[in-house]
């Protein structure tokens, strides 16, 4: 039998998981779970590039794991682990920093955004972050890295670093492809449709654990357009707010934009916005309920992340040993 291809991705537990994380990443992971050998992790080491409250970080890391499972990632079919439990990430991260260029790191959009936002704390980790992300990926020799649009640049840098390393030492790393969904790759803020949905704009952000009434309130207040057309039509340049709501609805229901236009023909935004809210509420309801149930079972969560770290370490170690040997480090 052919070996399964490998899929890998991670999310930082720096904030509560939101609809952008779900539609841009997790939903796509779940959809392909049987086809691939899968590795999904909580990228806790990445979060400390920005100051975190330790108790919140711990809570969110476990909540994220519960949500991964509640979204449909069966721990029997997916290796689910916490990044800091697999020390090979930090080790390969250091090696790859030595193969990532200052100019490359300076061009990263996430670095530019975060250093503008946290002027008092532009630390070395924030700058070198993409080398650690390259290590996260390359340790597992994945074929695909399913992410939202905003992580494409980091995935491309990962490919460049892997190719640079391979050109010196031979075929050490598989060159992975980013895997970006058609609908939901860039979910925008509900009240600022020119910014991506993120925890830093909470009023425009739908959190996966949020109460249905709060979700509905945010959708009812979502910015549509200043035009007087009041018509559900897909035109991202002229109607970015409506286009965003349509892409959310499309990602959840599977309807095309033409089908959505037909469904809401003559209805106006007053009917469309709560309908999108309802679709999101119904999609998230079972996820929230299941996550709440799983979170109460700390022993189960511990058994999942321990088994995950064990399997991940085994695979990561094979790659790291190979890298160390190529570099000329004396074997232990
Ligand atoms: P992070 O934690 O910011 O986001 C996690 C995933 O969610 C996607 N995403 C979105 N997709 C659509 N619309 C949005 N508004 C939106 N916001 C976030 C992101 O594209 C991502 O897929 N550096 C990574 C975490 C990471 C990682 C990795 C990912 C660390 N190591 C290795 C893949 C492989 C990050 O900060 O994503």
């Amino acid at each position: 039998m052919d070996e399964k291809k490998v899929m890998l991705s991670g999310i930082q537990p720096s904030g509560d998981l939101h609809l952008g994380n779900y539609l841009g990443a997790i939903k796509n992971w779940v959809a392909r779970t049987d086809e691939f050998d899968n590795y999904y992790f909580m990228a806790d080491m990445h979060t400390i590039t920005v100051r975190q409250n330790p108790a919140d970080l711990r809570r969110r890391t476990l909540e994220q794991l519960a949500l991964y499972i509640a979204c449909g990632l069966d721990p029997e079919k997916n290796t689910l682990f916490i990044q800091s439990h697999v020390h090979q990430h930090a080790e390969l991260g250091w090696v790859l920093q030595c193969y990532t260029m200052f100019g490359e790191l300076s061009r990263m959009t996430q670095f530019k955004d975060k250093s503008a936002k946290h002027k008092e704390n532009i630390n070395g980790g924030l700058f070198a972050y993409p080398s650690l992300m390259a290590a996260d990926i390359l340790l597992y020799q994945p074929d695909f890295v399913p992410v939202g649009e905003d992580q494409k640049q980091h995935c491309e840098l990962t490919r460049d670093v892997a190719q640079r390393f391979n050109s010196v030492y031979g075929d050490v790393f598989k060159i992975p492809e980013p895997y970006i969904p058609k609908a939901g790759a860039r979910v925008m803020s509900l009240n600022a449709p020119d910014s991506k949905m993120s925890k830093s704009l909470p009023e425009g952000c739908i959190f996966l654990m949020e109460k249905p009434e709060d979700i509905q309130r945010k959708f009812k207040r979502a910015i549509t357009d200043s035009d007087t057309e009041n018509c559900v039509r897909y035109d991202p340049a002229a109607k970015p707010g409506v286009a965003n709501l349509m892409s959310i609805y499309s990602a959840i229901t599977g309807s095309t934009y033409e089908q959505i236009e037909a469904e809401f023909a003559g209805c106006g935004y007053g009917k469309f916005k709560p309908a999108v809210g309802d679709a999101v509420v119904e999609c998230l309801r079972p996820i929230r309920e299941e996550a709440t149930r799983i979170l109460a079972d700390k022993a189960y969560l511990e058994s999942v992340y321990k088994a995950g770290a064990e399997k991940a370490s085994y695979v990561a170690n094979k790659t790291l040993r190979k890298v160390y040997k190529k570099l000329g480090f004396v074997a232990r």
Side-chain angles (χ1 to χ4, degrees):
M1 202 179 84
D2 282 348
E3 281 209 356
K4 282 187 174 173
K5 293 201 169 184
V6 177
M7 210 45 147
L8 166 135
S9 199
I11 298 182
Q12 298 192 59
S14 51
D16 294 332
L17 286 185
H18 57 72
L19 194 62
N21 300 134
Y22 180 67
L23 297 179
I26 305 174
K27 190 164 184 280
N28 221 12
W29 308 351
V30 175
R32 314 299 297 271
T33 209
D34 288 323
E35 271 167 81
F36 291 90
D37 185 12
N38 311 292
Y39 297 84
Y40 296 117
F41 62 97
M42 278 53 75
D44 57 346
M45 292 168 71
H46 283 273
T47 69
I48 62 164
T49 54
V50 173
R51 296 283 176 261
Q52 301 292 328
N53 172 309
D56 287 343
L57 178 59
R58 210 169 284 125
R59 170 189 64 78
R60 283 195 304 255
T61 305
L62 293 178
E63 195 167 291
Q64 193 171 310
L65 175 60
L67 273 164
Y68 279 6
I69 302 169
C71 286
L73 293 176
D74 176 352
E76 299 295 320
K77 296 182 185 167
N78 299 273
T79 304
L80 307 178
F81 66 98
I82 299 173
Q83 182 190 26
S84 62
H85 290 185
V86 182
H87 59 80
Q88 288 84 356
H89 288 244
E91 291 184 61
L92 186 63
W94 168 249
V95 171
L96 295 184
Q97 270 188 57
C98 303
Y99 291 80
T100 317
M101 299 301 139
F102 183 88
E104 288 173 322
L105 292 171
S106 315
R107 284 193 289 276
M108 292 295 115
T109 310
Q110 187 165 316
F111 171 68
K112 288 193 220 160
D113 288 351
K114 288 205 173 164
S115 46
K117 231 184 247 164
H118 303 277
K119 285 207 172 61
E120 70 307 333
N121 184 22
I122 306 177
N123 58 68
L126 191 64
F127 188 64
Y129 178 115
S131 304
L132 179 60
M133 177 158 160
D136 298 338
I137 297 172
L138 298 175
L139 277 172
Y140 300 90
Q141 311 279 2
D143 297 273
F144 298 107
V145 183
V147 285
E149 184 72 41
D150 62 336
Q151 293 301 316
K152 194 168 165 214
Q153 194 186 32
H154 288 157
C155 291
E156 278 161 4
L157 179 61
T158 299
R159 288 166 60 88
D160 292 343
V161 171
Q163 264 150 358
R164 182 171 302 138
F165 197 92
N166 284 356
S167 71
V168 181
Y169 300 103
D171 275 347
V172 177
F173 298 122
K174 184 173 269 180
I175 310 298
E177 296 276 348
Y179 178 76
I180 295 171
K182 285 200 185 74
R186 193 169 173 79
V187 179
M188 307 308 277
S189 163
L190 297 187
N191 63 355
D194 51 344
S195 306
K196 73 172 181 181
M197 182 176 281
S198 84
K199 59 171 192 297
S200 53
L201 298 168
E203 263 312 297
C205 183
I206 302 295
F207 296 99
L208 301 191
M209 294 296 273
E210 205 160 0
K211 290 204 235 56
E213 54 273 29
D214 292 338
I215 297 179
Q216 270 302 4
R217 178 179 48 79
K218 288 181 180 176
F219 273 100
K220 283 188 186 138
R221 286 196 197 152
I223 290 195
T224 38
D225 297 288
S226 47
D227 66 10
T228 47
E229 195 186 24
N230 196 19
C231 157
V232 178
R233 186 165 56 77
Y234 190 73
D235 184 349
K239 295 150 84 78
V242 174
N244 186 41
L245 293 175
M246 289 178 79
S247 75
I248 292 173
Y249 195 71
S250 166
I252 287 184
T253 61
S255 304
T256 63
Y257 295 136
E258 295 77 56
Q259 287 166 335
I260 299 171
E261 284 170 357
E263 186 179 344
F264 293 97
C267 288
Y269 305 144
K271 284 227 170 96
F272 179 54
K273 291 200 281 186
V276 183
D278 280 343
V280 172
V281 163
E282 290 319 315
C283 166
L284 297 185
R285 188 189 304 281
I287 295 175
R288 189 186 64 246
E289 287 172 1
E290 182 65 358
T292 307
R293 195 188 62 73
I294 296 170
L295 259 179
D297 192 347
K298 293 283 179 301
Y300 170 68
L301 281 176
E302 188 177 328
S303 73
V304 170
Y305 68 66
K306 284 198 164 157
E310 201 175 314
K311 164 128 193 260
S313 301
Y314 175 79
V315 176
N317 207 41
K318 284 211 266 190
T319 303
L320 189 69
R321 292 294 133 224
K322 201 163 165 188
V323 168
Y324 277 5
K325 191 169 173 198
K326 293 282 187 186
L327 290 170
F329 292 175
V330 173
R332 278 192 248 186

